[in-house]
Amino acid sequence: MAGALVTATAQRVLLLVLAVVAAFIGGWAYFAAEGWYATFPGLGMSWLPRLGPYNQHLVKDVGSFYLGFAALSLAAAWRPRTTALVAATGLAWVVFSVPHLVYHVQHLDMYDGVDRVLNVVSLSAFVVAGALLLVRPRPEPDR
């Protein structure tokens, strides 16, 4: 079913969105580590201080990780018809995103209702995005 809905063009757009989001999170975490920790995800919300004390090394590692994912996603977007690279990128996102989601779902009690919902929705979106990159795209007509 999903294969009928997914095209290489749709996967390319998804890869570009993932790259932008990962570059944003990664750049923010790496280059403004303390500010990222104190104010992520932004918009008046602050999710990270509730999870434990600030650790610059860990935050910069997270930033570097997301910057690496941005690079991988851009590389796959550059060649969206290279299905092995697209699928490997999707697999990497799923392998990261599923345990990340599971951890946060197990710790939702420290957030209020809106933050709980946004945690689950935003983290689930990465799982879905990665899974959609694992689907072999349907053929598109030549242009």
Side-chain angles (χ1 to χ4, degrees):
M1 173 74 179
L5 302 174
V6 178
T7 63
T9 300
Q11 287 182 326
R12 183 178 206 178
V13 169
L14 183 56
L15 286 160
L16 290 171
V17 169
L18 284 169
V20 167
V21 171
F24 176 75
I25 293 170
W28 183 14
Y30 190 84
F31 296 107
E34 199 167 345
W36 176 81
Y37 177 82
T39 61
F40 182 84
L43 304 172
M45 294 176 277
S46 179
W47 293 350
L48 301 177
R50 298 174 195 192
L51 297 172
Y54 172 72
N55 178 313
Q56 182 186 38
H57 176 213
L58 182 58
V59 170
K60 285 192 173 272
D61 282 354
V62 168
S64 297
F65 167 82
Y66 272 103
L67 290 171
F69 259 68
L72 176 61
S73 298
L74 279 176
W78 184 259
R79 299 294 231 180
R81 294 186 193 276
T82 308
T83 57
L85 178 58
V86 171
T89 303
L91 180 61
W93 275 106
V94 167
V95 167
F96 164 67
S97 299
V98 168
H100 190 197
L101 171 64
V102 168
Y103 174 84
H104 285 282
V105 165
Q106 292 172 339
H107 296 89
L108 288 174
D109 58 317
M110 58 186 68
Y111 298 108
D112 66 19
V114 171
D115 288 329
R116 286 179 183 176
V117 171
L118 291 175
N119 260 272
V120 173
V121 169
S122 62
L123 294 173
S124 295
F126 285 102
V127 174
V128 171
L132 288 172
L133 296 173
L134 292 171
V135 174
R136 186 170 192 85
R138 69 177 164 88
E140 294 181 71
D142 292 331
R143 295 179 192 204

